[in-house]
Amino acid sequence: MLLAKTFTSSTFKVALIAILTFGSAVSAIFLFVYLSTTSYVRSHADRAILADTQSLREAYERSGRDALAELIRQRMADKGFADGIYVLADPASTVLAGNLAEWPSASADLSGWTEFRGSPPAPATMNAPLIRGLLTTFPSGDRLLVARDIGHLDHFSARIRTAVILGVVLTFVIGGFTGFLVTRRSVGRIESINATSRAIMASGLDKRIPLRGTHDEWDAVAENLNLMLDRIQTLMGEVKQVSDNVAHDLRTPLTRMRGRLEKAYHTERTAEADQALIGDTIADLDSVLRIFASITRIAQIETQARKGGFRTVNLVEIAGEVVELYDAAAEQDATRLSLAGEREVLVTGDRDLLFDAIANLVDNAIKHGRAGGEVTVASETVEGRPVISVADDGPGIPPEQREHVFKRFYRLEQSRYTPGNGLGLSLVAAVAHLHGARVELLDNAPGLKFRLLFATAA
């Protein structure tokens, strides 16, 4: 199965294209080396033949046939010309002088360059040597052949040709084998991811893609996918928790409404009783509607659809309006609500959402702080970053529970009997995420301090 997927994968096809491209380039280089080498060796031999031919032609033109024949005999006796081949023939191709017994039949041309095979010195054991020469025909009809044995060039060319063919074949073989291994490794990692995906679809989100510890790009992809699965599992858990909490929070007001309606159904109705029934029912329905409105608002914020309305706003002004709004509520609990910090702290964001976030923090501080305590809203700039904080001197939140308070409907044990639905801090977290801010919960000793740290000033 894996082998079939390897040969049909797009990675293998890309590898083949790369191998063909690289192999063609290597073949072109080898061919260039081969042609350049053989051309250089031939040109070296041709220069020697041309120089030799020129001197013999001058001797013929100066002193005639007999003098040229005598000069050829002298060169044949001279060891310095031992590698030369000389043939002087009359117009009938009868050899007059030279170290070949007869005029080469392969050299029938009257003039120009020629190549032919000579007679091997030991026919049973050696191939005939390759001879390259220059033919010259004089006006009298006499013919001169000056040549060199280039058998070494022939042998060298054969070696180069063999090396080129082997090099090209080896390049394609090694390239194909390497491409197969690389593709097989890639397909194996992809199949591992696919197997994990199938296991997740079959059994649930508890499966994770195995890491090989190579710290390569495949491990990076697997790690990111595992983080995504962790996030999805967390969100699924939160959805389940929200569903359970919504059902729990709606059960109480709906049960109360049903109980009141059932009681009214079985008892004698009066105007006062009807009015009380209607008023209590409206209050419970308002509570239910507030829950749904909060959930919808948080969902809208998390989609980041409100970013189009961002503009420069002053946190100090927003905080001042929140303090003014909650001043009366604070006085009812004998809580001192104050505003502190700088006169101007600018950020880019949605003014209404920032107002809601700060208002929820102030509302929580007043409700859950110490009766007769103090709540301080401060706006400042810390290391170039806008910061707004809400601090109280109440009982605070235990450190082990601070990471849970931003979950929807999550409420501390001591807060279960106070008004609220556990969505306020979820809205704060959503607004902070939308504005690229970080929420911090700090110990105020005593009490708790919420801080919103924005990335940069406007």
Side-chain angles (χ1 to χ4, degrees):
M1 179 66 72
L2 184 59
L3 184 62
K5 289 183 177 180
T6 300
F7 286 115
T8 58
S9 69
S10 60
T11 304
F12 187 69
K13 295 175 183 177
V14 173
L16 286 180
I17 294 175
I19 292 168
L20 289 174
T21 303
F22 179 73
S24 300
V26 171
S27 302
I29 293 173
F30 281 159
L31 181 61
F32 174 76
V33 171
Y34 170 73
L35 294 177
S36 299
T37 303
T38 55
S39 175
Y40 173 77
V41 176
R42 285 178 181 274
S43 64
H44 182 73
D46 289 351
R47 286 194 296 270
I49 293 173
L50 281 171
D52 217 358
T53 300
Q54 184 64 27
S55 63
L56 293 177
R57 288 179 61 182
E58 291 176 356
Y60 183 89
E61 293 172 356
R62 185 173 56 251
S63 304
R65 176 198 288 177
D66 294 338
L68 176 58
E70 182 61 26
L71 181 58
I72 290 175
R73 296 187 189 96
Q74 292 177 3
R75 292 199 173 186
M76 290 171 57
D78 190 348
K79 292 183 178 180
F81 295 92
D83 59 344
I85 297 174
Y86 305 96
V87 180
L88 176 61
D90 61 14
S93 298
T94 302
V95 176
L96 303 176
N99 47 10
L100 291 181
E102 59 184 10
W103 185 264
S105 58
S107 302
D109 295 336
L110 297 179
S111 61
W113 293 98
T114 183
E115 289 185 7
F116 59 92
R117 294 283 178 178
S119 300
T125 58
M126 298 181 62
N127 294 327
L130 181 64
I131 296 174
R132 179 172 174 80
L134 180 61
L135 296 172
T136 302
T137 301
F138 298 107
S140 62
D142 294 335
R143 306 170 69 185
L144 173 66
L145 171 64
V146 179
R148 291 285 189 279
D149 182 356
I150 59 171
H152 62 287
L153 173 61
D154 189 33
H155 182 66
F156 178 75
S157 298
R159 283 179 173 270
I160 291 291
R161 187 165 52 251
T162 302
V164 168
I165 294 174
L166 289 177
V168 172
V169 171
L170 192 61
T171 298
F172 280 104
V173 170
I174 293 177
F177 183 70
T178 303
F180 172 78
L181 291 181
V182 172
T183 304
R184 186 179 179 85
R185 179 177 180 273
S186 300
V187 171
R189 298 301 295 270
I190 294 173
E191 186 58 28
S192 175
I193 295 174
N194 289 336
T196 304
S197 302
R198 289 191 292 268
I200 290 172
M201 289 186 288
S203 60
L205 290 170
D206 57 330
K207 304 294 184 181
R208 294 295 180 268
I209 301 170
L211 302 179
R212 297 188 178 181
T214 55
H215 304 293
D216 57 3
E217 65 278 3
W218 287 109
D219 264 8
V221 170
E223 187 174 359
N224 288 332
L225 289 175
N226 287 338
L227 291 175
M228 181 183 69
L229 291 172
D230 291 339
R231 179 61 177 161
I232 292 174
Q233 190 173 24
T234 301
L235 292 175
M236 292 295 292
E238 291 180 357
V239 168
K240 182 179 182 302
Q241 179 192 7
V242 168
S243 300
D244 294 341
N245 289 331
V246 167
H248 180 271
D249 285 4
L250 292 182
R251 185 185 298 115
T252 300
L254 291 177
T255 301
R256 285 201 303 263
M257 282 188 286
R258 187 186 186 284
R260 284 194 294 268
L261 290 174
E262 186 175 3
K263 182 178 179 181
Y265 179 78
H266 292 290
T267 59
E268 185 178 352
R269 296 177 58 188
T270 63
E272 293 181 359
D274 288 348
Q275 187 174 4
L277 172 65
I278 294 172
D280 293 339
T281 303
I282 290 175
D284 285 336
L285 287 174
D286 286 342
S287 176
V288 173
L289 291 174
R290 280 195 298 270
I291 291 175
F292 284 113
S294 298
I295 294 174
T296 303
R297 187 166 176 78
I298 292 172
Q300 290 175 346
I301 294 172
E302 289 179 342
T303 61
Q304 300 193 3
R306 296 285 295 266
K307 275 195 171 183
F310 276 20
R311 64 181 188 277
T312 301
V313 295
N314 187 358
L315 288 178
V316 178
E317 292 181 359
I318 300 174
E321 294 176 7
V322 173
V323 169
E324 184 179 353
L325 176 65
Y326 280 89
D327 188 55
E331 287 183 359
Q332 289 180 358
D333 294 337
T335 300
R336 295 184 300 276
L337 181 60
S338 60
L339 183 65
E342 302 175 11
R343 299 184 61 182
E344 183 178 74
V345 178
L346 301 179
V347 297
T348 301
D350 188 298
R351 194 180 194 282
D352 295 337
L353 293 180
L354 292 173
F355 181 92
D356 289 346
I358 299 172
N360 273 284
L361 292 177
V362 172
D363 184 63
N364 274 345
I366 294 174
K367 286 180 180 179
H368 307 297
R370 181 174 59 88
E374 184 174 357
V375 175
T376 303
V377 182
S379 304
E380 56 186 338
T381 302
V382 179
E383 296 180 355
R385 300 179 61 180
V387 177
I388 186 164
S389 61
V390 178
D392 63 69
D393 55 357
I397 299 176
E400 65 274 9
Q401 297 190 37
R402 290 178 183 175
E403 63 180 25
H404 301 294
V405 296
F406 294 103
K407 295 179 180 178
R408 298 179 190 181
F409 298 101
Y410 185 87
R411 306 189 73 186
L412 299 177
E413 189 63 35
Q414 64 268 24
S415 304
R416 291 193 177 275
Y417 302 102
T418 59
N421 51 33
L423 292 173
L425 293 181
S426 298
L427 187 142
V428 172
V431 172
H433 180 72
L434 179 67
H435 289 78
R438 187 173 78 249
V439 185
E440 291 183 348
L441 278 72
L442 307 175
D443 193 353
N444 199 35
L448 187 71
K449 177 187 285 188
F450 280 89
R451 288 211 315 171
L452 290 178
L453 289 83
F454 295 83
T456 55

